[in-house]
C-alpha cells in the first residue's frame, strides 16, 4: 500500500507496447518504450494489461526491477487495447507522472472466494481509504478476477466503505475465452481470486461514458422469482422458457449454443429513467430451467430479451465517447482507459478495430489509449433515481477519459 | 293513513326511479367495461403478435449472425493463409520453412496447435519439424504415438488424403483427439514431388469449434504450399550443389592448365637459353672463318687461283648470311627472355620509315618499285624504341620488295586508333596462301613458293618483327590474297 502526494503541472503519460514473445525481452521493451514516451524521470504509477501468456512472475519481476518503487496495477485480458491498435498477444504499460494536488492510493485484496465477496469489497475499500482523510476523493478504479461468481457483491462491499454514490469504474479480468484463470497484477505480484484497485483524489477531472447499444425486443416480462444472479421464474414459468420460446430450441440445444446466444441475446433489466437497459449475460443453465447470469437480477424487475448488431454496437461506442467529452466540460484530455466487453470483441470479429477508430475520432487521434477486454464492467448509472450508484454491467464499452 | 300511504307511494316511486337510473348507469358502465376489455384484448393480441414477430426476427437474426460469423472466419482464415503462404514461400532454405509458420497467423485460421512431421526413408520413421502450442512432455508422447502408428500417416501420404474431425470415423477421431490433446483437428499430407514427404497437423482445444469443409480445404492448401516450398528449397539446394561442383571442377581444370602453362614456359625458356648459348658459341668461330676468308680474298697472303677465289668468296658470303641468322636468333631469344629492354621515346614515325626506306632504296630502284608514304600529321607521333621499330620496317619492306614483281607498288599508311596508331604496309606482291597466314610469324617458317626457293632467307625476320611489336604492347597481323598482294598491319603506342 502507498500514499502519494504529488508534484505540480499536468499528468504526464508514456505508453509502451510489446508483442515480443520472450517474457523478459517483452517486459524490457515495453518499459523502455514507455520511459522514452513519458519524457520525465519522475514516475509515480504504472498500469499494465496483457494477454494471459504474460501473466508470469518473471514479467512483473522484470518490470518492477526496471521501475523501482513505482506502484503497478493491472490485469490479464483476451486482447490488449492501445491507440496503436488491438493486439491478441501483447503487453501494454502506461506510466504516469502525477503533479502536485492529485493524490492516489493503490491496494489489493486476495482470497476473495474464501471470504464473502462483500467482505472482500469492504476490505479493499478500507485499504484504499487509508490516508485519504481530509482529501477530496474523486474516483475509484477496480480490477477484479473475471471468474468471481458474485461480482456485484464486491462492488456492494466497496460501496459500503466508499459511499453508495461514489463514482467507481472497474473491469473484470479475462483470459483467452477458456474461462480457466484470470489474473490481477499488483506491484511485482500476480494473483488469481483477487481484486486490486486505486483511489484518486484532489484535483482530478474525468469524463465517463458507458453504453452497449442493445435494443429490447418482444413483450416485457417480470422476474417472478430470483436470488442474486440466479433467476428461477419469469412470468411464473421456468426462466429458460423465454429463450425456448424465442429460439424454438429445447434446453439441450440452448446449452450447446449458449455462448453464442448469451452474447448476442442477453436479457435487459428495465431501469426507470435510464436510457439503456442493464444487460445480463447467461453464464449457465440449470437443470430445473433456472438461468444463472453474470450479475444479479432483482426479483420483480421487468426484463426483456435484447438484440444487438455490429452497427448498434458501434453506435453505442460513439455515444459513450461523446459522453466522455460532455463530462469533461471542455477540459483537455490527457489519456483514456477503455474497458470493453469480450462479448463485443466476439460480436465485432474482424471489425473490432472499428471501435478503437471511433474512440480515436471522437477523443483525438494522438491521445494515449490503454485498455482491455473484460468479463464484466462496473460503472455508475446516471439516472437521478439511482443517485449515480455503480452497477455491474455486461456487454458494455466503458470509456474513462482523464484530464488533470 | 292517507299521508302514510302517499308517503309510501312516493317512496316506492322514488325507489323505482333510483333503481331504474342505477340500472341504466350500471348498464352503461358495463358497456364501457366491455369496450375497454375489448381494447385490452386487442392490445394484448397486438402485443402477442408483436412477440411472435419478435421471435421470427430473433431466429432470422441468429441465422444471419451465424452466417456472418462463418464468413468472417473464412475471410480471416484466407488472410492468414495468404500471410502464411507468403512467409513460407519467401525462403529457399528447407530448415527455415517450418520456422516461418507464425503462431499468431495460425490462430487466425482457428487452430492454436500445429505439428509437422516428415518421413525419413533411411531411419524409417517420422521426424518432427514444427510444434506450436505443445509442451515438451506432450511432444514426446505424440512422437512415440506417431511412430507406433506409422501406417495411418503413411496411408494418408500415399492416398494424398486429408483427414479431419469431419471425415474421420468416431473411433479414429476419439483416439486422435486424445493423443493430440484437441477437440477438433485437420491432418493433411505434405507432398513435395521429390524427397521426404510428410503430414501437417492442426488442432484446437476449443470445444465450440466445428470443423467445416472450408477448414479442411484451407489446411489442405496450406499443406500443399508447404510441399511446394519444400520442393523449391530442395531444387534450389540441388542447383546450388551442381553449381558448386561445377565451380570446383573449373577451378581444378584452371589449376591443371596453369601447371601445364608453367611447364610450357619452362620449356620455352630452356629453348631460348639453348638458342642463345648456341648462337653465342657459333658467333666466335664464325667471326674467325669470316676474318680468314676476308684476308684470303684481299690477296695479302698471295694470289688465289680463280677456282679457289670463287670458293673463298662463297665462304665469305655464306659466313655473312650465317652471321645474320645468328644475330637474328640472338635478338629473338633476348627479347623472349626479356633481356632486351625497349627504350621508348616520343618519335616521329615518318622519320623512322624514311630512314628504313633509305637503306632499301637500292633494292627498290633495282625492281622499279614505287613506294608511297601516307602518314598524316595526326598519325605520326609514336612512343617507341626507334632502333627496334626501324628493324620492323626494314624487315617488312624488304619482304615486300622481295615478293613484289617489277614495277610493283608498296604503300605505307598510318591512322589513329583510340590510344594507339595503326600502320598498314600494303604491297602488290604474289600474296600469301591462306593456310600460311597464321604461321608466317613463327620462327623458321618459310612460305613454300618459287621466290623463296630462289631467294634465300632465314625464316626469322617476321618472328623477330612480332617479338618487337609485342614488346611494345602492340599487335601484328596480315591480310592477303594470292596474286593480289599482302597488307601487314601493326599497332604502336602513341604515348606512355
Amino acid at each position: 500500500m502507498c500514499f502519494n502526494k504529488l508534484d505540480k503541472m499536468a499528468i504526464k503519460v508514456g505508453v509502451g507496447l510489446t508483442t515480443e514473445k520472450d517474457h523478459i525481452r517483452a517486459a524490457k521493451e515495453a518499459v523502455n518504450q514507455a520511459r522514452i514516451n513519458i519524457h520525465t524521470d519522475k514516475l509515480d504509477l504504472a498500469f499494465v494489461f496483457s494477454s494471459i501468456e504474460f501473466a508470469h512472475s518473471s514479467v512483473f519481476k522484470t518490470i518492477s526491477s526496471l521501475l523501482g518503487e513505482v506502484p503497478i496495477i493491472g490485469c490479464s485480458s483476451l486482447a490488449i487495447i492501445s491507440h496503436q491498435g488491438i493486439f491478441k498477444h501483447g503487453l501494454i504499460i502506461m506510466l504516469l507522472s502525477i503533479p502536485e494536488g492529485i493524490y492516489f492510493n493503490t491496494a489489493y485484496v486476495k482470497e476473495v472466494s474464501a471470504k464473502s465477496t462483500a467482505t472482500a469489497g469492504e476490505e479493499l475499500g478500507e485499504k484504499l481509504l487509508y490516508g485519504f482523510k481530509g482529501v477530496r476523493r474523486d474516483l475509484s478504479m477496480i480490477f477484479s478476477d473475471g471468474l468471481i461468481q458474485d461480482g456485484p457483491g464486491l462492488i456492494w462491499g466497496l460501496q459500503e466503505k466508499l459511499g453508495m454514490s461514489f463514482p467507481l469504474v472497474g473491469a473484470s479480468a479475462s483470459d483467452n475465452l477458456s474461462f480457466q484463470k484470470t489474473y490481477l497484477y499488483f506491484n511485482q505480484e500476480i494473483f488469481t481470486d483477487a481484486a486490486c484497485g486505486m483511489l484518486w483524489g484532489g484535483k482530478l477531472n474525468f469524463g465517463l461514458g458507458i453504453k452497449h447499444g442493445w435494443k429490447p425486443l418482444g413483450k416485457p416480462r417480470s422476474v417472478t422469482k430470483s436470488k442474486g444472479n440466479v433467476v428461477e421464474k419469469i412470468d411464473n414459468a421456468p426462466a429458460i422458457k423465454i429463450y425456448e420460446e424465442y429460439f424454438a430450441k429445447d434446453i439441450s440445444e440452448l446449452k450447446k449454443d449458449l455462448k453464442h446466444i448469451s452474447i448476442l441475446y442477453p436479457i435487459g433489466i428495465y431501469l426507470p429513467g435510464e436510457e439503456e437497459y442493464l444487460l445480463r449475460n447467461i453464464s449457465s443453465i440449470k437443470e430445473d430451467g433456472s438461468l444463472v447470469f453474470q450479475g444479479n437480477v432483482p426479483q420483480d424487475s421487468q426484463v426483456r430479451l435484447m438484440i444487438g448488431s455490429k452497427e448498434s454496437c458501434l453506435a453505442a461506442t460513439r455515444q459513450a465517447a461523446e459522453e466522455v467529452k460532455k463530462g469533461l466540460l471542455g477540459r483537455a484530455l490527457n489519456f483514456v482507459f477503455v474497458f470493453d466487453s469480450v462479448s463485443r470483441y466476439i460480436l465485432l470479429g474482424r471489425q473490432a478495430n472499428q471501435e478503437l477508430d471511433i474512440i480515436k475520432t471522437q477523443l483525438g487521434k494522438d491521445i494515449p489509449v490503454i485498455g482491455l477486454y473484460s468479463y464484466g464492467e462496473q460503472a455508475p448509472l446516471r439516472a437521478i433515481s439511482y443517485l449515480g450508484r455503480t452497477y455491474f454491467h455486461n456487454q458494455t464499452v466503458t470509456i474513462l477519459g482523464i484530464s488533470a | 293513513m292517507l299521508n302514510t300511504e302517499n308517503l309510501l307511494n312516493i317512496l316506492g316511486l322514488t325507489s323505482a326511479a333510483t333503481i331504474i337510473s342505477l340500472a341504466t348507469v350500471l348498464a352503461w358502465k358495463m358497456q364501457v367495461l366491455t369496450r375497454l376489455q375489448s381494447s385490452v384484448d386487442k392490445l394484448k393480441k397486438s402485443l402477442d403478435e408483436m412477440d411472435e414477430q419478435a421471435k421470427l426476427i430473433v431466429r432470422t437474426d441468429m441465422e444471419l449472425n451465424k452466417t456472418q460469423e462463418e464468413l468472417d472466419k473464412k475471410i480471416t482464415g484466407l488472410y492468414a493463409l495468404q500471410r502464411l503462404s507468403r512467409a513460407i514461400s519467401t525462403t529457399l532454405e528447407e530448415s527455415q520453412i517450418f520456422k516461418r509458420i507464425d503462431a499468431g497467423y495460425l490462430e487466425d485460421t482457428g487452430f492454436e496447435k500445429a505439428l509437422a512431421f516428415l518421413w525419413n526413408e533411411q531411419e524409417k520413421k517420422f521426424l518432427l519439424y514444427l510444434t506450436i502450442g505443445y509442451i515438451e512432455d506432450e511432444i514426446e508422447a505424440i512422437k512415440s504415438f506417431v511412430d507406433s502408428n506409422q501406417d495411418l500417416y503413411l496411408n494418408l501420404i500415399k492416398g494424398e488424403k486429408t483427414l479431419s474431425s469431419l471425415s474421420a470415423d468416431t473411433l479414429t477421431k476419439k483416439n486422435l483427439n486424445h493423443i493430440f490433446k484437441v477437440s477438433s483437428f485437420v491432418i493433411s499430407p505434405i507432398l513435395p514431388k521429390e524427397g521426404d514427404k510428410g503430414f501437417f497437423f492442426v488442432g484446437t482445444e476449443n470445444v465450440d469449434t466445428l470443423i467445416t469443409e472450408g477448414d479442411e480445404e484451407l489446411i489442405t492448401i496450406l499443406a500443399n504450399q508447404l510441399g511446394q516450398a519444400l520442393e523449391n528449397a530442395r531444387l534450389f539446394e540441388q542447383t546450388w550443389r551442381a553449381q558448386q561442383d561445377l565451380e570446383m571442377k573449373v577451378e581444378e581444370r584452371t589449376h591443371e592448365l596453369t601447371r601445364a602453362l608453367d611447364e610450357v614456359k619452362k620449356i620455352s625458356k630452356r629453348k631460348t637459353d639453348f638458342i642463345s648459348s648456341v648462337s653465342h658459341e657459333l658467333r666466335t668461330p664464325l667471326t674467325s672463318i669470316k676474318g680468314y676468308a676476308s684476308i684470303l680474298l684481299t690477296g695479302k697472303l698471295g694470289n688465289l687461283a680463280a677456282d679457289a677465289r670463287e670458293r673463298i668468296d662463297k665462304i665469305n658470303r655464306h659466313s655473312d648470311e650465317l652471321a645474320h641468322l645468328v644475330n637474328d636468333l640472338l635478338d629473338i631469344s633476348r627479347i623472349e627472355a626479356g633481356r632486351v629492354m625497349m627504350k621508348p621515346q616520343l618519335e616521329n614515325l615518318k622519320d623512322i620509315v624514311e630512314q628504313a626506306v633509305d637503306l632499301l632504296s637500292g633494292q627498290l630502284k633495282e625492281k622499279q618499285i614505287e613506294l608511297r608514304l601516307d602518314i598524316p600529321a595526326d598519325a605520326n607521333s609514336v612512343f617507341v624504341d626507334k632502333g627496334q621499330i626501324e628493324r620492323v620496317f626494314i624487315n617488312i619492306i624488304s619482304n615486300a620488295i622481295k615478293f613484289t614483281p617489277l614495277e610493283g607498288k608498296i604503300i605505307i599508311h598510318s591512322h589513329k586508333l583510340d590510344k594507339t596508331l595503326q600502320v598498314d604496309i600494303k604491297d602488290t606482291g604474289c600474296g600469301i596462301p591462306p593456310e600460311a597466314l597464321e604461321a608466317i610469324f613463327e620462327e623458321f617458317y618459310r612460305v613454300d613458293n618459287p621466290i623463296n626457293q630462289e631467294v634465300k632467307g632465314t625464316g626469322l625476320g617476321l618472328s623477330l618483327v612480332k617479338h618487337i611489336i609485342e614488346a611494345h604492347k602492340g599487335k601484328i597481323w596480315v591480310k592477303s590474297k594470292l596474286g593480289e598482294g599482302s597488307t601487314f598491319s601493326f599497332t604502336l603506342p602513341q604515348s606512355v
Side-chain angles (χ1 to χ4, degrees):
Chain A
M1 208 186 305
C2 62
F3 182 74
N4 298 284
K5 187 171 180 290
L6 305 144
D7 283 355
K8 267 183 187 173
M9 316 257 286
I11 292 182
K12 281 185 180 163
V13 185
V15 176
L17 172 80
T18 180
T19 54
E20 166 71 52
K21 283 178 191 151
D22 181 86
H23 286 164
I24 309 287
R25 274 214 296 264
K28 283 182 180 166
E29 188 179 275
V31 170
N32 284 344
Q33 262 187 40
R35 286 196 103 132
I36 290 167
N37 292 333
I38 197 168
H39 303 297
T40 175
D41 288 332
K42 188 184 116 21
L43 307 175
D44 298 308
L45 178 63
F47 284 92
V48 177
F49 303 130
S50 79
S51 48
I52 53 161
E53 63 268 30
F54 293 100
H56 200 278
S57 59
S58 63
V59 173
F60 290 87
K61 282 201 175 115
T62 309
I63 294 178
S64 216
S65 72
L66 291 169
L67 294 180
E69 296 291 298
V70 177
I72 300 166
I73 64 167
C75 65
S76 68
S77 169
L78 171 66
I80 55 169
I81 300 172
S82 87
H83 49 277
Q84 286 164 274
I86 291 165
F87 299 88
K88 214 169 166 189
H89 301 279
L91 179 142
I92 189 166
I93 178 164
M94 181 188 262
L95 291 176
L96 299 181
S97 179
I98 300 172
E100 196 176 326
I102 295 176
Y103 303 88
F104 75 86
N105 187 22
T106 60
Y108 73 95
V109 56
K110 56 183 186 175
E111 291 157 4
V112 173
S113 49
K115 311 157 185 167
S116 80
T117 44
T119 314
E122 283 179 40
E123 186 187 325
L124 184 61
E126 223 160 77
K127 284 180 179 173
L128 285 174
L129 280 173
Y130 177 80
F132 251 89
K133 259 179 203 159
V135 175
R136 191 187 92 185
R137 282 176 269 146
D138 289 316
L139 168 75
S140 177
M141 288 174 73
I142 304 297
F143 304 109
S144 57
D145 188 325
L147 303 175
I148 290 176
Q149 279 296 317
D150 182 22
L154 194 75
I155 302 301
W156 190 86
L158 266 163
Q159 285 170 337
E160 279 292 305
K161 290 292 163 188
L162 300 177
M164 287 299 166
S165 295
F166 182 69
L168 195 157
V169 179
S172 305
S174 62
D175 62 4
N176 57 353
L177 289 181
S178 64
F179 296 92
Q180 296 293 323
K181 258 182 187 175
T182 69
Y183 302 89
L184 284 309
Y185 309 145
F186 192 84
N187 296 342
Q188 55 175 317
E189 288 188 272
I190 298 171
F191 301 109
T192 58
D193 190 25
C196 62
M198 68 174 296
L199 193 57
W200 290 98
K203 295 172 187 168
L204 184 83
N205 294 299
F206 63 90
L208 178 71
I210 175 158
K211 286 275 182 252
H212 52 72
W214 263 254
K215 304 281 177 229
L217 191 79
K219 282 199 289 194
R221 290 154 197 272
S222 286
V223 176
T224 40
K225 195 175 179 195
S226 83
K227 197 180 170 200
N229 62 338
V230 182
V231 177
E232 281 177 43
K233 300 249 157 101
I234 294 175
D235 284 349
N236 291 314
I240 188 68
K241 208 173 159 223
I242 175 172
Y243 280 91
E244 283 176 337
E245 273 179 21
Y246 277 108
F247 294 92
K249 285 175 192 271
D250 61 24
I251 190 164
S252 66
E253 285 175 301
L254 285 171
K255 272 186 179 171
K256 224 196 264 172
D257 237 350
L258 184 64
K259 205 185 262 179
H260 216 86
I261 290 173
S262 169
I263 290 168
L264 292 173
Y265 315 99
I267 67 156
I269 306 169
Y270 175 68
L271 303 173
E274 276 292 324
E275 205 179 302
E276 285 196 317
Y277 281 63
L278 186 61
L279 297 187
R280 288 289 177 257
N281 292 129
I282 310 170
S283 62
S284 64
I285 302 169
K286 287 191 170 181
E287 280 312 308
D288 65 354
S290 303
L291 296 176
V292 183
F293 289 97
Q294 287 172 359
N296 59 334
V297 182
Q299 191 163 310
D300 298 327
S301 53
Q302 228 182 57
V303 294
R304 290 177 84 175
L305 187 78
M306 305 294 285
I307 187 166
S309 66
K310 289 183 185 179
E311 287 69 31
S312 65
C313 212
L314 293 173
T317 310
R318 192 170 299 114
Q319 286 168 15
E322 276 165 5
E323 291 209 341
V324 171
K325 275 200 285 193
K326 265 191 236 162
L328 284 171
L329 305 168
R331 291 188 196 95
L333 203 55
N334 280 48
F335 57 98
V336 173
F337 288 104
V338 177
F339 305 142
D340 205 349
S341 166
V342 288
S343 311
R344 301 169 77 84
Y345 182 79
I346 297 166
L347 177 74
L348 288 171
R350 296 192 321 111
Q351 280 144 288
N353 267 309
Q354 286 186 13
E355 264 201 301
L356 182 65
D357 290 343
I358 289 169
I359 294 169
K360 281 164 72 179
T361 310
Q362 293 292 321
L363 301 179
K365 287 256 175 285
D366 303 316
I367 298 287
V369 175
I370 174 171
L372 66 121
Y373 285 98
S374 67
Y375 283 160
E377 306 78 45
Q378 298 95 45
L381 293 172
R382 301 191 81 81
I384 309 223
S385 50
Y386 292 93
L387 302 163
R389 188 171 167 183
T390 289
Y391 271 73
F392 194 85
H393 301 255
N394 288 152
Q395 317 253 98
T396 63
V397 57
T398 306
I399 309 173
L400 175 64
I402 305 282
S403 164
Chain B
M1 237 353 238
L2 187 72
N3 275 348
T4 316
E5 205 173 293
N6 278 346
L7 203 67
L8 276 172
N9 277 339
I10 290 167
L11 206 67
L13 276 171
T14 315
S15 306
T18 309
I19 289 166
I20 288 166
S21 55
L22 270 174
T24 317
V25 169
L26 193 70
W28 180 72
K29 282 276 180 193
M30 284 296 281
Q31 225 174 341
V32 170
L33 206 67
T34 319
R35 262 210 322 267
L36 273 174
Q37 185 60 48
S38 123
S39 291
V40 168
D41 286 348
K42 265 189 202 159
L43 267 173
K44 200 167 174 292
K45 199 170 167 238
S46 301
L47 206 58
D48 285 339
E49 276 170 4
M50 259 174 56
D51 206 40
E52 286 307 310
Q53 286 167 358
K55 285 172 190 167
L56 277 179
I57 291 171
V58 166
R59 287 168 207 166
T60 317
D61 187 65
M62 177 128 172
E63 283 308 310
L64 271 174
N65 270 319
K66 268 197 176 158
T67 318
Q68 169 97 51
E69 208 171 286
E70 267 166 38
L71 210 68
D72 263 11
K73 197 180 143 194
K74 257 193 189 155
I75 295 171
T76 312
L78 282 173
Y79 270 120
L81 177 70
Q82 187 204 16
R83 275 174 299 197
L84 281 168
S85 300
R86 199 182 303 151
I88 59 178
S89 62
T90 47
T91 177
L92 283 168
E93 265 181 74
E94 197 172 329
S95 60
Q96 282 296 314
I97 292 172
F98 293 104
K99 286 185 191 154
R100 297 282 177 105
I101 296 182
D102 179 84
Y105 291 163
L106 184 78
E107 221 169 274
D108 284 346
T109 66
F111 302 98
E112 73 280 0
K113 296 186 172 195
L115 297 161
F117 283 92
L118 291 183
W119 175 252
N120 187 298
E121 191 55 43
Q122 281 162 349
E123 293 183 39
K124 295 274 179 224
K125 66 189 278 195
F126 280 103
L127 300 180
L128 185 60
Y129 282 79
L130 163 81
T131 48
I132 293 175
Y134 287 102
I135 57 166
E136 212 58 44
D137 294 349
E138 291 172 334
I139 292 167
E140 285 312 311
I142 289 169
K143 266 182 177 171
S144 67
F145 170 78
V146 168
D147 261 341
S148 53
N149 288 276
Q150 287 179 356
D151 286 350
L152 173 71
Y153 306 101
L154 287 172
N155 284 339
L156 276 186
I157 293 167
K158 206 173 157 198
E160 299 186 6
K161 267 188 194 155
T162 295
L163 182 75
S164 76
S165 305
L166 190 69
S167 56
D169 60 74
T170 321
L171 190 70
T172 316
K173 199 158 61 182
K174 211 176 148 193
N175 204 1
L176 292 176
N177 280 349
H178 174 69
I179 295 301
F180 290 107
K181 302 213 177 316
V182 291
S183 64
S184 303
F185 65 87
V186 181
I187 305 174
S188 190
I190 301 171
L191 303 163
K193 276 189 193 127
E194 280 177 37
D196 300 338
K197 294 176 164 66
F199 67 90
F200 181 50
F201 165 93
V202 295
T204 174
E205 273 184 287
N206 188 346
V207 283
D208 297 326
T209 304
L210 291 175
I211 301 289
T212 61
E213 280 174 17
D215 292 320
E216 268 196 358
E217 227 167 89
L218 197 83
I219 299 305
T220 309
I221 293 172
L222 191 54
N224 284 344
Q225 297 271 5
L226 282 170
Q228 190 69 51
L230 279 177
E231 202 174 303
N232 289 344
R234 284 169 187 170
L235 270 175
F236 177 76
E237 174 85 20
Q238 269 177 23
T239 317
W240 190 77
R241 282 242 173 95
Q243 195 202 336
Q244 289 293 99
D245 281 354
L246 200 71
E247 267 177 25
M248 229 164 73
K249 274 184 189 152
V250 166
E251 204 174 307
E252 256 172 42
R253 205 84 188 98
T254 312
H255 204 67
E256 273 172 28
L257 284 172
T258 314
R259 269 205 311 262
L261 188 68
D262 285 347
E263 195 60 29
V264 168
K265 271 185 188 163
K266 227 185 271 170
I267 293 168
S268 168
K269 188 178 177 294
R270 226 177 285 150
K271 182 204 78 177
T272 310
D273 289 349
F274 174 73
I275 291 175
S276 174
S277 61
V278 167
S279 308
H280 266 293
E281 293 307 317
L282 281 174
R283 244 199 345 199
T284 321
L286 200 61
T287 314
S288 322
I289 294 168
K290 166 121 176 101
Y292 289 126
S294 297
I295 290 167
L296 285 173
L297 279 176
T298 54
K300 279 179 186 163
L301 299 173
N303 281 335
L304 295 172
D307 282 359
R309 190 178 185 82
E310 194 185 320
R311 269 121 187 126
I312 301 266
D313 193 41
K314 265 189 186 169
I315 290 172
N316 193 29
R317 259 190 296 120
H318 285 296
S319 310
D320 274 349
E321 279 163 17
L322 201 60
H324 193 68
L325 178 92
V326 168
N327 280 342
D328 276 358
L329 265 177
L330 257 176
D331 282 344
I332 289 171
S333 62
R334 274 187 199 139
I335 293 170
E336 264 185 356
R339 281 205 291 268
V340 176
M341 289 298 293
M342 297 293 152
K343 288 168 196 143
Q345 276 181 326
L346 215 52
E347 300 288 351
N348 193 321
L349 181 69
K350 208 170 177 179
D351 288 351
I352 300 173
V353 179
E354 274 170 356
Q355 256 177 42
V357 171
D358 218 27
L359 282 171
L360 300 165
S361 58
Q363 294 169 42
L364 285 167
K365 211 176 264 175
E366 201 178 307
K367 289 184 88 171
Q368 296 173 31
I369 290 170
E370 181 197 344
L371 188 136
R372 209 167 75 210
L373 289 189
D374 177 15
I375 298 171
D378 69 327
N380 189 31
S381 162
V382 283
F383 186 72
V384 297
D385 185 321
K386 191 180 174 186
Q388 299 291 350
I389 295 304
E390 203 178 296
R391 288 175 81 181
V392 168
F393 278 102
I394 290 169
N395 260 297
I396 298 176
I397 297 170
S398 64
N399 270 346
I401 295 169
K402 192 158 86 180
F403 298 108
T404 301
L406 279 174
E407 298 180 345
K409 256 189 200 168
I410 296 173
I411 301 163
I412 301 172
H413 165 73
S414 75
H415 66 272
K416 223 172 126 72
L417 297 178
D418 187 17
K419 276 180 186 167
T420 57
L421 188 135
Q422 182 177 325
V423 180
D424 302 310
I425 301 170
K426 187 176 187 304
D427 63 49
T428 53
C430 61
I432 306 161
E435 66 275 11
L437 281 176
E438 283 281 314
I440 56 166
F441 294 106
E442 284 173 20
E443 286 146 32
F444 303 110
Y445 183 87
R446 300 198 77 212
V447 178
D448 184 19
N449 63 18
I451 300 173
N452 260 344
Q453 278 159 18
E454 198 182 302
V455 186
K456 282 185 181 134
T458 59
L460 283 175
L462 283 176
S463 172
L464 183 68
V465 163
K466 187 169 184 262
H467 276 98
I468 293 169
I469 294 296
E470 281 173 358
H472 279 87
K473 296 192 170 62
K475 277 194 285 186
I476 183 162
W477 67 96
V478 61
K479 283 183 185 164
S480 181
K481 214 167 178 186
L482 273 179
E484 283 184 19
S486 311
T487 305
F488 280 82
S489 304
F490 55 86
T491 57
L492 292 173
Q494 277 205 301
S495 57
V496 188

